[in-house]
Every structure is written in structure tokens, then in C-alpha cells.
Amino acid sequence: MKSIALSVLGLAVVCFFVAHHYKIGWLKAISEAAMVGGIADWFAVVALFKHPLGIPIPHTALIPNNKDSIGQNLGSFVSDEFLIKEKLEIKLDEFDFATKATNWIKEDKNAATISDLVVENVIPGILKTIDDADVKNFIQRQFESKMQELNFGQWVAVALESLSKSEKQSELITEVLTVLATELEANRLDINEKVKTATPWYTLGVADKKIADGVFNGLYEFLEMAKEHDSSIRQKINLYILNFIEDLKHSPEMQQKISTLITEFTQKEEVQNYIGSIWQEIKDNVTTDLDKGSDSKIKSNLTSMIMNFGDTIQNDTIMTTKINTFIKVDLLGVLLRNKKSIGDLIATSVQSWDKKEIADKLELEVGKDLQFIRINGTVVGGFVGLLIYFVEQFI
């Protein structure tokens, strides 16, 4: 645009020399006025951004020399004219943050971008920051605390009562008796050895086998009879279980004994080490999954969760209204409370800019249009010169 404006001025100069050489009065009048208009407007445009020809003429380089006041006025203009409650409310209502945000996160690539950020930066950062020993101790303390709060005796009573009212109890008792009978048969030789050891030496081993067989057969027959559902032994077992359940339901002492027994078991070193290893196992599984990159299940599930969240929120008009209201009220409050600070920030930012830098930036932004002033000045000046020439000839 500078070149075009300069070419128009150059054309006026050429016309001036042609008119002067061939004594063309009207062309000389046009070219003289056009040169004056073009040069005057060139001076005016350049004077906004710098000193013409580098000469520090007063009232030139207006923008660089007045950038501080420009920044202050710009900051005041923004805070006074834009940061007004009524105008902000209209714009915030038009913006519909909830809909725009949910539309954005519903897109697969955007949800994937968020999940990438989480799995690549947030989760690994958290895992590195957390002290493993503290987490293990915390898990152990919480587990122990919760175990002490639970009444296991009451739980056992409820479970056994439920079991006793179904066929499962009978099946379970039969299964236990079958296992005992099997184990008895498998340990027959051990029983014989123990009977032999306990028999007096003076029997010379004559009665050992008979005693052992009697003990074994008696126990085996007892277990086989107990398997029969209508046997007296089975009825006594059922009655014992029912009495035990009733006692357990109404006896705080028995409940406490069972709770203490289970709690003491969980306090064993092996159990505590296992509980403490839960965190390390979780951490290792998470790290292994994250190392899979695009195949990470955590990333995939997180992406789906984000998309579903956006879809759910968008279809919930009550929630979208609440979000927009929250954003409107909260953001409006922040802007109105800090309007002066925002204006000061703008002013300070402009004031911190380099004089030449701000002049160059503004010239690049608006200089193209300003070159039309030079072109118009040259053209309009030429027409004015022609008008003056005709008026002069008429007079």
C-alpha cells in the first residue's frame, strides 16, 4: 500500500514535469496540487507513528510518545464501557457456557485430549508425589479401624440363620461329614500307631489292633449315621447349630469373642503385609496400563466417561441452567470486583511496551488503510487544483 501511494505521488510528479515542459496549464495546476496534497498527507500519516525522515519535529511520533496515556485511557475505556453489569449479563446469557462446553467435550478428539492430559501428566504426577509408605500406613490404619467398628459376631449369626432356613445347611453338614469320613479313612494307619503307642507294654501288642479297629470303626459308623437326615445324631447337630445361632444373636459376649478372633487374625504380620501391598499392586497396575499408550484401558474408560458426562449434562436442562447461572454469577462477580484491576492491567501492559515496538505493531494493523489517506490526498488535491485553475481562468 505504501508503494501504491508512492506511485500515485510519483505520477503527479511526472505530470508536473510534462505540464511544465509542454506549457499545459490545467495539468500543471492538477499536478502541483496533487503533490502538495500527497506530501502533506504522507507527513500526517508518518507523524502518527514516527518522526518524518527521522527529524524530531514537534507533535510527530504521536503514538510512541503518548503510549502511556493511550494505555491508561484504553484501560479506563475497557473497565468503564465494557465491564458494566448490564452489558456483561447480556453477553453471558448469550454465551451459554454449559452448551458450548458440553458440545466440545462430547467430541471424541476433545475428550481424548482431556484424557491424554490426565493420563500423561496428572496421574503420573500424583503417583510420583505420593509417599508409598504413608499410603500403606494409611490403608492399614483405616482397615484396622473399620475392622474394630464391625460386629462380626452379629454378621455370622445373621449368615448362619439364613443358612439354617435353607437346604444349604443340610448339604453343608453332609459335605463336612463326608470330608471327615474321608480324612478318617486316609489317616487309619496314623490312628493305629497312636493306639499302639498309648497301649500298655504288658499287652504285648495283642489288643492294639482290636482297640484301633474299634476306635476307627466306631468313629466311621458315627460319621456315616450323622449323614442320615433323619438320624438322632443329625437332629442333635441341627439342634446344636440352632442353639448356637440363638446364643450368638443375643449374646454380646459371644459376638465379641468372634469379632476379637477375626480382628486378631487380621493383625497377624502376614495379613498386615498383604494389606500394605494393596497400594503397591494398585500403583503397579495403573503404571503398567498407562504405559500402553493408546491401548490404555484407563485412558479409554476416561475418554468414554468424559463424553458420557457431556451428553448427560447437555440432556439435563436443570443442570445446564445451574451451570450457566453459576458461571454467570461467579464470573460476573469476579469481573465487577476486579474491573479496576483489569483496567490497570491493560494500562500497565501497554505502558510496558517498547515505543518502537508499539508503533510498528499498530502501523502493521492499521497502516494499510492509512495509506489510502495519502492516495486520497493526492487525488483530491489534484481535483482541487483543477477547480482552482478553472476559477482562475474564469476570473
Side-chain angles (χ1 to χ4, degrees):
M1 288 305 300
K2 285 182 176 180
S3 299
I4 293 173
L6 184 60
S7 298
V8 174
L9 179 61
L11 178 61
V13 173
V14 171
C15 290
F16 171 76
F17 284 109
V18 170
H20 182 75
H21 183 270
Y22 291 103
K23 307 298 181 183
I24 305 173
W26 62 270
L27 183 59
K28 182 180 180 182
I30 291 175
S31 57
E32 286 178 344
M35 287 190 295
V36 172
I39 293 173
D41 285 339
W42 164 83
F43 183 92
V45 171
V46 172
L48 288 171
F49 305 101
K50 60 190 74 174
H51 296 299
L53 302 177
I55 302 172
I57 302 171
H59 304 294
T60 59
L62 299 178
I63 291 175
N65 289 335
N66 293 278
K67 73 178 182 68
D68 290 350
S69 59
I70 291 173
Q72 190 64 49
N73 291 333
L74 181 61
S76 299
F77 177 72
V78 171
S79 61
D80 294 340
E81 298 298 327
F82 288 93
L83 301 181
I84 300 173
K85 183 178 180 181
E86 291 74 16
K87 292 183 178 180
L88 289 173
E89 284 181 335
I90 295 173
K91 288 299 179 183
L92 291 174
D93 286 335
E94 293 174 353
F95 186 70
D96 191 5
F97 174 84
T99 301
K100 285 183 170 60
T102 51
N103 281 336
W104 189 83
I105 64 175
K106 278 173 59 180
E107 295 185 18
D108 184 67
K109 64 176 183 178
N110 296 328
T113 300
I114 299 174
S115 61
D116 283 341
L117 177 65
V118 175
V119 300
E120 293 175 8
N121 298 286
V122 178
I123 296 178
I126 293 174
L127 293 178
K128 289 179 182 178
T129 303
I130 294 175
D131 187 279
D132 293 343
D134 290 342
V135 175
K136 291 178 181 178
N137 292 333
F138 174 79
I139 293 174
Q140 289 172 342
R141 288 196 305 271
Q142 291 298 311
F143 181 79
E144 183 177 349
S145 174
K146 294 300 180 184
M147 291 291 288
Q148 292 174 353
E149 292 175 3
L150 297 175
N151 188 342
F152 288 100
Q154 196 173 45
W155 283 21
V156 172
V158 172
L160 290 176
E161 184 178 33
S162 175
L163 186 65
S164 67
K165 294 178 180 179
S166 66
E167 291 297 323
K168 293 294 183 182
Q169 175 182 306
S170 179
E171 294 175 6
L172 180 61
I173 293 174
T174 302
E175 185 67 27
V176 171
L177 292 171
T178 302
V179 171
L180 289 175
T182 303
E183 288 299 313
L184 183 64
E185 181 69 38
N187 291 277
R188 184 164 189 162
L189 294 177
D190 291 338
I191 293 173
N192 289 338
E193 287 297 322
K194 289 186 180 296
V195 170
K196 184 178 179 180
T197 303
T199 304
W201 63 271
Y202 52 80
T203 62
L204 301 177
V206 176
D208 292 353
K209 189 174 185 311
K210 289 185 177 181
I211 294 174
D213 288 344
V215 171
F216 177 83
N217 292 333
L219 289 172
Y220 194 83
E221 289 176 5
F222 176 84
L223 292 175
E224 288 298 318
M225 288 178 62
K227 290 181 184 179
E228 301 295 331
H229 293 283
D230 55 351
S231 67
S232 60
I233 297 174
R234 186 60 168 265
Q235 291 175 3
K236 288 180 180 179
I237 293 174
N238 291 334
L239 181 61
Y240 173 79
I241 293 174
L242 291 174
N243 291 335
F244 176 77
I245 293 173
E246 287 299 316
D247 291 342
L248 189 57
K249 284 171 59 179
H250 303 99
S251 174
E253 292 79 9
M254 291 185 67
Q255 294 176 4
Q256 183 61 43
K257 286 181 180 180
I258 293 179
S259 295
T260 302
L261 181 65
I262 296 176
T263 302
E264 288 177 351
F265 171 76
T266 60
Q267 290 176 346
K268 289 183 177 295
E269 183 179 356
E270 296 83 356
V271 179
Q272 288 294 310
N273 289 339
Y274 172 75
I275 295 171
S277 68
I278 292 175
W279 164 246
Q280 189 61 47
E281 186 175 349
I282 293 173
K283 184 177 178 181
D284 291 341
N285 289 336
V286 171
T287 302
T288 302
D289 183 79
L290 295 182
D291 290 339
K292 295 180 181 178
S294 58
D295 295 329
S296 168
K297 290 184 179 179
I298 294 176
K299 177 184 174 182
S300 176
N301 291 335
L302 184 60
T303 301
S304 299
M305 184 181 70
I306 292 171
M307 294 174 66
N308 291 335
F309 173 77
D311 190 56
T312 302
I313 293 296
Q314 193 172 67
N315 294 326
D316 189 338
T317 54
I318 297 177
M319 184 58 69
T320 54
T321 301
K322 286 183 177 180
I323 292 174
N324 283 332
T325 301
F326 173 79
I327 294 294
K328 176 182 175 181
V329 173
D330 197 54
L331 184 57
L332 188 62
V334 171
L335 291 174
L336 293 178
R337 286 194 302 271
N338 296 279
K339 60 184 297 184
K340 185 178 184 306
S341 299
I342 295 172
D344 292 342
L345 175 64
I346 295 172
T348 304
S349 298
V350 174
Q351 291 168 3
S352 66
W353 293 346
D354 179 74
K355 288 184 177 182
K356 185 178 184 306
E357 182 182 5
I358 189 174
D360 292 342
K361 284 182 177 180
L362 288 175
E363 187 173 11
L364 285 174
E365 291 297 328
V366 300
K368 182 178 180 180
D369 292 329
L370 290 177
Q371 297 308 313
F372 282 106
I373 295 177
R374 294 175 55 190
I375 296 172
N376 292 337
T378 305
V379 174
V380 172
F383 279 113
V384 172
L386 181 61
L387 179 61
I388 294 173
Y389 174 80
F390 281 130
V391 170
E392 181 182 9
Q393 294 302 313
F394 178 77
I395 295 175

